[in-house]
Amino acid sequence: MATLKRRYFLRVMGGTAATAGGLAIGWSLLPPRQRLMPGTPLPVAPGQVALNGWVKVSADDTVTVVMTQAELGQGIHTSLAMLLADEMDAAWDRVKLEQSTLRKIYNNQAEIADGLPFPTGGPGRKLAQWMARKIIREIPGLMGTGGSSSVIDLWMPMREAGASARAALIAAAAENWKVPAAECTAESGRVLHSSGKSASFGELAGQAAKLGVPKNVKLKDPAQFRLIGKPTRRLDNALKIHGAPIYSLDVQLPGLVYAAMKMCPTLGGKVSRFEGMAAQLLPGVRKVVAVAPYGGGLASFGSGTGGVAVIADTPFHAMNALKKVTVEWDHGPAATLSSRDVMSALAGALDKNPGKVHYERGDVDSALQSVAKTITAEYSVPFLAHATMEPMNCTVQFKDGAATVWAPAQSPGFAVNAVAAILGIKADKVKLVIPLIGGGFGRRVFVDVVSQAAALAKETDGAPVQLLWSREEDMTHDYYRPAFMARSKAGFDAAGKLTAWQMTTAGSSMGAPSFVDASGKGNFDTGYGFPSIRVAHQNTDSLVPVGIWRSVSHSHNAFFTESFMDEAAHAAGQDPVAFRAALLADSPRHLRVLKRAAELSNWGQPSAPAPDGAKTARGIAIHPCFGSVIASVAEVSVGESGKIRVHRVVCVVDCGFPLNPNMIRQQLEGGMIFGLSAALQGKITVEKGQVQQTNFDSYEPLRMRDCPAIETDLIASTEHPGGIGETGTPTIAPAVANAVHALTGQRLRSLPLKLA
């Protein structure tokens, strides 16, 4: 049986308890498992009532759905609203959205509990998740958007809230009409009775609220769904098409002033002294101030970098005046650091240390001693930036001992606590407004820019101040996807059967505390039935600030695992699909996805030439992540200059019940393009502590002309939904690398993929 190291289990759960602030409440004293009612009533407008903590109904029949998750472009507001509206039988054209405040029932349990580094079905996984969820329910401020967890976490709460609201409205109508509730139904925002009587939700809401929350509410059978599972257009489409003011940079307030920042070019550096008089004398300039280094939200998220800010009447005045500021920098300990040093340190760590074992099954050492053949390989990936389309920004007003914050934040609790700490006020004196967000990818979990804006708000005498980073500051002061390295070894018996698998990685914990250090996720929870396996990791931090990047550890571990799996298949003299299929014999879900991808891509048949006549070849990769399983087949060619061109990608995913097929396909396409940009072109390098890539000319995303045709297929399922926002990213790099090998015979083991 598979074993998870006892020390690792204790470290995980010990960290979880520590995060709870030493919470020591007996399980019997905790409240029942309910996420319907908040501790205090929801605020309502005139003519509006709250039927539970997730939905309000107005007299004009508007149904307002409370959104706990940030809309980062992934379409989650539409998907979550579909869950509640369908179970409630609300009229879709009467649904509106409202961003929630921080309340315990909105805590994202799945992001932490399901993200614990335990293999699926591994010992202790369910117990650890149960314990984590118990604790999470009691900690204020653990709302968050990340880990592709939104639908996973809210699939049941949103449905239960909708069903509860429907039952309350039906009960109110039945009471009015003196009929059994069982004789009433709801449809498109009305309650109906067979006698012909009907009433709108708005007419019934006040009375329904007085009846309290119904008990033992029955959820719909999937056959009854009207919205769930159907391709549905996004609720924010019209706003975006018409250019409505929906992002945080659209905030317009009386007396609003603007700030521009110049940070120390060296990571972790700060201001030694500055001269701002020349800037101060320019028209429209109000103040020139030094800004201390502020970290990203938790102590382990880095110390941040200091800088100088100009506060002015307009963004132009602030940016223009910033050019006149002269600064002497304290470059700090990173002044001699290079990314080459980091990669050397990773290699040195693997040379000297076997790493901490995350997962093992069987006796790898004995198996390797008795094999007929072994292969080894070393893989590496560089630092990567998030490079969101919307640069980092935040608006803060500090007045009369309270603060209002307009921030594109993925972790509202971190943001509120950071502002409160900077301003010296209690967290309940901070109001946070989260608009739509122009891309997050994990970057907006960190609250360094929020802290900076709060510090500047102390300098404006009660006027709101909007801080906007330039693209250059955004690119050179990110919390980067960490550089990683992996060494792998596989053993085969005389018949070519794989009998031993060993992988050791080195890299940072992605800025996370130990209890969510999932650096092994994606290289031990693969679905493959290895006879013997050992996966270990050596934590190796550097002075480069690192953090959560789209698909987290899966972004590199899938590259390591699926590239080496391809090497193993070739070493065994077997077809890559057949080799994988044999190892997935006891994982029917994975096997189904693999076979479907092979079928749709015409695996085993010659691939068509590229439009320019160049030869093409296919590569495949399969990977489970965020509760879903994905397989991708890439069809590539190589030009005379050695440029790798991807022409076609076939992607098959089993993400459980497909809540909104439109959104799933869009996210798969976006995730693969994001991953392909990193696979072919993405790389952050550091020299003398300074990031060398400053804009999209030197950190180039995939251009439209280079985008492949992407075909997606969704496996039909009635299982609990898995995550999808990050699922498209991990498999594209290994699929392309494996295709390049099939075409050229050259094995590429480092990203970005470049032919010698």
Side-chain angles (χ1 to χ4, degrees), residues 159-222:
R159 291 181 61 197
E160 289 168 351
S164 176
R166 169 171 43 87
L169 292 163
I170 286 176
E175 185 176 76
N176 286 345
W177 301 333
K178 310 300 182 188
V179 299
E183 294 180 2
C184 300
T185 59
E187 183 178 337
S188 297
R190 300 188 70 84
V191 176
L192 312 174
H193 185 257
S194 56
S195 65
K197 294 178 181 179
S198 73
S200 71
F201 284 2
E203 294 170 332
L204 296 168
Q207 185 175 348
K210 295 177 182 177
L211 296 176
V213 178
K215 297 180 180 179
N216 302 319
V217 174
K218 185 178 180 181
L219 299 179
K220 286 184 177 181
D221 183 272

XYZ file of all heavy atoms in Angstrom, residues 159-222:
450
model
N -25.938 25.661 -5.008
C -27.150 24.909 -5.348
C -28.087 24.848 -4.146
O -29.305 25.028 -4.280
C -26.772 23.501 -5.807
C -26.060 23.456 -7.156
C -25.738 22.023 -7.549
N -26.961 21.235 -7.686
C -27.007 19.906 -7.691
N -25.873 19.205 -7.545
N -28.149 19.263 -7.835
N -27.519 24.599 -2.974
C -28.349 24.539 -1.769
C -29.009 25.883 -1.479
O -30.170 25.937 -1.062
C -27.496 24.097 -0.580
C -27.073 22.638 -0.644
C -25.996 22.292 0.371
O -25.453 23.228 1.002
O -25.688 21.094 0.528
N -28.269 26.965 -1.723
C -28.842 28.294 -1.505
C -29.997 28.546 -2.456
O -31.038 29.101 -2.072
C -27.761 29.358 -1.677
N -29.840 28.147 -3.718
C -30.918 28.326 -4.683
C -32.123 27.466 -4.364
O -33.278 27.924 -4.431
N -31.873 26.204 -4.005
C -32.980 25.304 -3.676
C -33.698 25.767 -2.419
O -34.935 25.678 -2.314
C -32.454 23.881 -3.492
N -32.934 26.263 -1.447
C -33.532 26.769 -0.218
C -34.418 27.982 -0.499
O -35.529 28.101 0.040
C -32.433 27.140 0.779
O -32.973 27.717 1.944
N -33.940 28.877 -1.353
C -34.738 30.052 -1.708
C -36.014 29.645 -2.437
O -37.095 30.187 -2.172
C -33.900 30.987 -2.584
N -35.894 28.687 -3.343
C -37.088 28.212 -4.060
C -38.099 27.611 -3.096
O -39.303 27.902 -3.169
C -36.669 27.172 -5.106
C -37.847 26.412 -5.720
C -37.425 25.550 -6.889
N -36.201 24.812 -6.688
C -36.125 23.608 -6.125
N -37.219 23.017 -5.646
N -34.960 23.000 -6.025
N -37.610 26.793 -2.167
C -38.519 26.168 -1.201
C -39.203 27.215 -0.328
O -40.394 27.095 -0.008
C -37.749 25.178 -0.335
N -38.477 28.259 0.061
C -39.071 29.310 0.888
C -40.145 30.073 0.129
O -41.211 30.403 0.678
C -37.974 30.271 1.364
N -39.893 30.360 -1.136
C -40.874 31.078 -1.947
C -42.118 30.230 -2.186
O -43.258 30.733 -2.148
C -40.239 31.489 -3.276
C -39.137 32.550 -3.167
C -38.291 32.585 -4.427
C -39.748 33.920 -2.896
N -41.907 28.942 -2.420
C -43.049 28.035 -2.606
C -43.859 27.930 -1.316
O -45.106 27.944 -1.331
C -42.560 26.652 -3.071
C -42.119 26.721 -4.542
C -43.645 25.588 -2.875
C -41.524 25.429 -5.074
N -43.163 27.869 -0.177
C -43.866 27.792 1.110
C -44.710 29.045 1.339
O -45.846 28.968 1.854
C -42.860 27.606 2.241
N -44.170 30.194 0.946
C -44.925 31.441 1.112
C -46.169 31.443 0.238
O -47.261 31.843 0.677
C -44.028 32.628 0.768
N -46.034 30.993 -0.998
C -47.183 30.944 -1.894
C -48.228 29.955 -1.389
O -49.441 30.241 -1.396
C -46.715 30.561 -3.292
N -47.774 28.790 -0.938
C -48.710 27.775 -0.433
C -49.474 28.292 0.773
O -50.684 28.032 0.927
C -47.939 26.501 -0.080
N -48.804 29.031 1.632
C -49.469 29.612 2.799
C -50.518 30.635 2.370
O -51.626 30.667 2.914
C -48.426 30.265 3.699
C -48.978 30.795 5.016
C -47.885 31.345 5.910
O -47.403 32.463 5.640
O -47.505 30.647 6.873
N -50.190 31.438 1.385
C -51.148 32.435 0.890
C -52.371 31.781 0.261
O -53.507 32.237 0.450
C -50.483 33.349 -0.144
C -49.537 34.347 0.495
O -49.567 34.555 1.703
N -48.689 34.971 -0.325
N -52.131 30.753 -0.513
C -53.213 30.130 -1.269
C -53.925 29.008 -0.513
O -54.878 28.422 -1.034
C -52.666 29.562 -2.583
C -52.023 30.604 -3.464
C -52.306 31.928 -3.509
C -50.960 30.394 -4.417
N -51.510 32.568 -4.432
C -50.675 31.654 -5.010
C -50.238 29.284 -4.838
C -49.694 31.813 -5.992
C -49.265 29.438 -5.809
C -48.991 30.699 -6.379
N -53.424 28.699 0.683
C -54.006 27.627 1.502
C -54.002 26.296 0.754
O -55.002 25.556 0.722
C -55.441 27.975 1.914
C -55.617 29.363 2.525
C -54.776 29.538 3.779
C -55.015 30.927 4.396
N -54.082 31.217 5.504
N -52.866 25.978 0.169
C -52.715 24.719 -0.551
C -51.448 24.040 -0.071
O -50.545 24.696 0.480
C -52.646 24.937 -2.083
C -53.933 25.586 -2.599
C -51.427 25.777 -2.462
N -51.312 22.737 -0.263
C -50.065 22.063 0.094
C -48.909 22.566 -0.772
O -49.072 22.780 -1.976
C -50.359 20.586 -0.190
C -51.853 20.473 -0.178
C -52.357 21.772 -0.714
N -47.770 22.729 -0.151
C -46.589 23.185 -0.891
C -46.222 22.211 -2.005
O -45.690 22.621 -3.049
C -45.411 23.364 0.058
N -46.527 20.932 -1.810
C -46.186 19.927 -2.811
C -46.940 20.134 -4.118
O -46.533 19.603 -5.163
C -46.472 18.528 -2.265
N -48.024 20.896 -4.070
C -48.802 21.151 -5.285
C -48.286 22.357 -6.069
O -48.802 22.679 -7.136
C -50.283 21.371 -4.929
C -50.958 20.143 -4.354
C -52.423 20.399 -4.018
O -52.894 21.537 -4.276
O -53.097 19.483 -3.519
N -47.284 23.021 -5.536
C -46.757 24.230 -6.168
C -45.401 23.955 -6.820
O -44.628 23.120 -6.347
C -46.606 25.352 -5.142
S -48.152 25.827 -4.329
N -45.132 24.666 -7.873
C -43.846 24.574 -8.558
C -43.328 25.983 -8.838
O -44.083 26.958 -8.751
C -43.974 23.815 -9.890
O -44.925 24.498 -10.722
C -44.427 22.381 -9.664
N -42.065 26.044 -9.176
C -41.458 27.329 -9.538
C -40.926 27.240 -10.956
O -40.434 26.193 -11.390
C -40.337 27.678 -8.574
N -41.040 28.346 -11.654
C -40.561 28.381 -13.029
C -40.315 29.820 -13.453
O -41.203 30.677 -13.342
C -41.585 27.733 -13.965
C -41.138 27.651 -15.408
C -42.157 26.957 -16.306
O -42.979 26.178 -15.772
O -42.127 27.188 -17.516
N -39.103 30.092 -13.903
C -38.728 31.394 -14.471
C -39.157 32.570 -13.611
O -39.744 33.546 -14.090
C -39.312 31.540 -15.880
O -38.781 30.568 -16.745
N -38.904 32.464 -12.316
C -39.148 33.599 -11.434
C -40.556 33.711 -10.913
O -40.922 34.743 -10.332
N -41.365 32.659 -11.058
C -42.735 32.662 -10.543
C -43.023 31.335 -9.856
O -42.458 30.294 -10.198
C -43.756 32.885 -11.660
C -43.594 34.197 -12.419
C -44.752 34.436 -13.366
N -46.001 34.728 -12.651
C -46.351 35.932 -12.205
N -45.545 36.976 -12.390
N -47.508 36.111 -11.577
N -43.937 31.373 -8.888
C -44.450 30.159 -8.264
C -45.834 29.909 -8.849
O -46.678 30.821 -8.915
C -44.519 30.292 -6.733
C -45.148 29.042 -6.124
C -43.119 30.506 -6.161
N -46.064 28.655 -9.251
C -47.295 28.296 -9.944
C -48.061 27.223 -9.186
O -47.471 26.394 -8.487
C -46.966 27.776 -11.347
C -45.985 28.607 -12.195
C -45.646 27.873 -13.488
C -46.568 29.978 -12.487
N -49.393 27.240 -9.365
C -50.253 26.189 -8.805
C -51.146 25.667 -9.914
O -51.502 26.399 -10.849
C -51.098 26.738 -7.646
C -51.897 25.682 -6.951
N -53.255 25.516 -7.147
C -51.519 24.720 -6.067
C -53.688 24.507 -6.405
N -52.650 24.007 -5.731
N -51.508 24.404 -9.803
C -52.305 23.766 -10.857
C -53.651 24.446 -11.077
O -54.272 24.319 -12.134
C -52.527 22.288 -10.528
O -53.131 22.149 -9.249
N -54.116 25.192 -10.094
C -55.389 25.912 -10.225
C -55.281 27.128 -11.135
O -56.290 27.747 -11.478
C -55.862 26.377 -8.843
O -54.964 27.337 -8.306
N -54.063 27.462 -11.506
C -53.859 28.645 -12.324
C -53.324 29.826 -11.557
O -52.948 30.845 -12.143
N -53.275 29.712 -10.249
C -52.734 30.810 -9.447
C -51.224 30.908 -9.665
O -50.542 29.897 -9.839
C -53.015 30.571 -7.963
C -54.488 30.613 -7.593
C -54.677 30.328 -6.108
C -56.152 30.352 -5.725
N -56.342 30.056 -4.292
N -50.714 32.125 -9.625
C -49.269 32.321 -9.740
C -48.883 33.624 -9.065
O -49.717 34.523 -8.903
C -48.826 32.334 -11.206
O -49.203 33.535 -11.844
N -47.649 33.705 -8.663
C -47.115 34.917 -8.036
C -45.635 35.005 -8.361
O -44.940 33.980 -8.473
C -47.336 34.899 -6.529
N -45.153 36.211 -8.520
C -43.744 36.398 -8.834
C -42.903 36.285 -7.571
O -43.399 36.449 -6.450
C -43.522 37.759 -9.488
O -43.688 38.795 -8.532
N -41.608 36.035 -7.766
C -40.699 35.953 -6.630
C -40.708 37.257 -5.834
O -40.633 37.247 -4.603
C -39.278 35.654 -7.124
C -39.057 34.213 -7.543
C -40.081 33.273 -7.517
C -37.793 33.786 -7.967
C -39.867 31.961 -7.899
C -37.566 32.473 -8.336
C -38.604 31.558 -8.317
N -40.767 38.376 -6.532
C -40.773 39.660 -5.839
C -41.971 39.841 -4.935
O -41.869 40.432 -3.848
N -43.104 39.319 -5.354
C -44.324 39.420 -4.552
C -44.263 38.543 -3.309
O -44.882 38.846 -2.290
C -45.541 39.024 -5.405
C -45.835 39.980 -6.553
C -46.874 39.441 -7.518
O -46.994 38.199 -7.652
O -47.553 40.259 -8.158
N -43.528 37.459 -3.386
C -43.505 36.474 -2.306
C -42.306 36.615 -1.373
O -42.286 36.031 -0.289
C -43.487 35.061 -2.899
C -44.708 34.644 -3.718
C -44.418 33.357 -4.479
C -45.933 34.470 -2.809
N -41.287 37.371 -1.781
C -40.012 37.368 -1.070
C -40.127 37.801 0.382
O -39.526 37.192 1.275
C -39.010 38.252 -1.806
N -40.881 38.873 0.654
C -40.994 39.365 2.024
C -41.549 38.312 2.959
O -41.027 38.096 4.063
N -42.604 37.654 2.535
C -43.209 36.622 3.371
C -42.290 35.404 3.481
O -42.183 34.785 4.548
C -44.560 36.202 2.790
C -45.330 35.211 3.674
C -46.709 34.907 3.117
O -47.180 35.582 2.211
N -47.358 33.895 3.667
N -41.615 35.067 2.379
C -40.704 33.914 2.397
C -39.589 34.130 3.403
O -39.185 33.197 4.113
C -40.128 33.684 1.006
N -39.087 35.352 3.488
C -38.004 35.645 4.426
C -38.460 35.464 5.867
O -37.676 35.032 6.726
C -37.487 37.061 4.198
N -39.717 35.784 6.155
C -40.237 35.651 7.516
C -40.384 34.190 7.934
O -40.376 33.875 9.127
C -41.589 36.353 7.624
C -41.521 37.863 7.434
C -42.908 38.479 7.473
C -42.854 39.986 7.221
N -44.210 40.597 7.191
N -40.515 33.293 6.966
C -40.708 31.876 7.286
C -39.414 31.192 7.723
O -39.444 30.077 8.244
C -41.288 31.143 6.071
C -42.688 31.575 5.624
C -43.094 30.826 4.360
C -43.708 31.335 6.739
N -38.266 31.854 7.489
C -36.988 31.257 7.870
C -36.464 30.313 6.808
O -37.098 30.075 5.774
N -35.310 29.761 7.068
C -34.651 28.885 6.094
C -35.271 27.491 6.154
O -35.314 26.869 7.223
C -33.142 28.791 6.388
C -32.466 27.842 5.398
C -32.505 30.173 6.309
N -35.785 26.987 5.037
C -36.391 25.644 5.033
C -35.371 24.567 5.379
O -34.166 24.722 5.156
C -36.870 25.484 3.588
C -36.920 26.866 3.028
C -35.844 27.636 3.731
N -35.855 23.483 5.929
C -35.000 22.356 6.264
C -35.229 21.207 5.282
O -36.287 21.077 4.683
C -35.269 21.883 7.690
C -34.944 22.932 8.760
C -35.229 22.393 10.148
C -34.897 23.440 11.222
N -35.183 22.938 12.589
N -34.202 20.370 5.138
C -34.284 19.166 4.312
C -34.744 19.473 2.891
O -35.670 18.859 2.356
C -35.221 18.141 4.960
C -34.781 17.761 6.358
O -33.597 17.581 6.611
N -35.735 17.662 7.279
N -34.118 20.468 2.297
C -34.463 20.862 0.935
C -33.869 19.868 -0.049
O -32.717 19.449 0.086
C -33.937 22.281 0.644
C -34.165 22.644 -0.812
C -34.626 23.285 1.552
N -34.641 19.509 -1.040
C -34.196 18.546 -2.037
C -33.622 19.270 -3.247
O -34.236 20.180 -3.799
C -35.354 17.649 -2.469
C -34.939 16.532 -3.424
C -36.125 15.644 -3.773
C -35.702 14.527 -4.734
N -36.855 13.656 -5.103
N -32.422 18.852 -3.660
C -31.810 19.418 -4.852
C -32.365 18.751 -6.103
O -32.897 17.640 -6.060
C -30.295 19.236 -4.807
C -29.550 19.893 -3.653
C -28.061 19.585 -3.739
C -29.776 21.387 -3.642
N -32.236 19.420 -7.215
C -32.727 18.888 -8.474
C -31.912 17.683 -8.927
O -30.708 17.593 -8.674
C -32.646 19.954 -9.569
C -33.677 21.056 -9.487
C -33.540 21.984 -10.698
C -34.601 23.071 -10.696
N -34.471 23.959 -11.875
N -32.577 16.782 -9.613
C -31.886 15.741 -10.353
C -31.289 16.391 -11.600
O -31.881 17.308 -12.174
C -32.878 14.644 -10.756
C -32.196 13.502 -11.467
O -32.061 13.577 -12.709
O -31.787 12.542 -10.792
N -30.103 15.971 -12.028
C -29.511 16.592 -13.215
C -30.430 16.638 -14.430
O -30.314 17.553 -15.256
C -28.281 15.714 -13.476
C -27.885 15.239 -12.114
C -29.183 15.018 -11.387
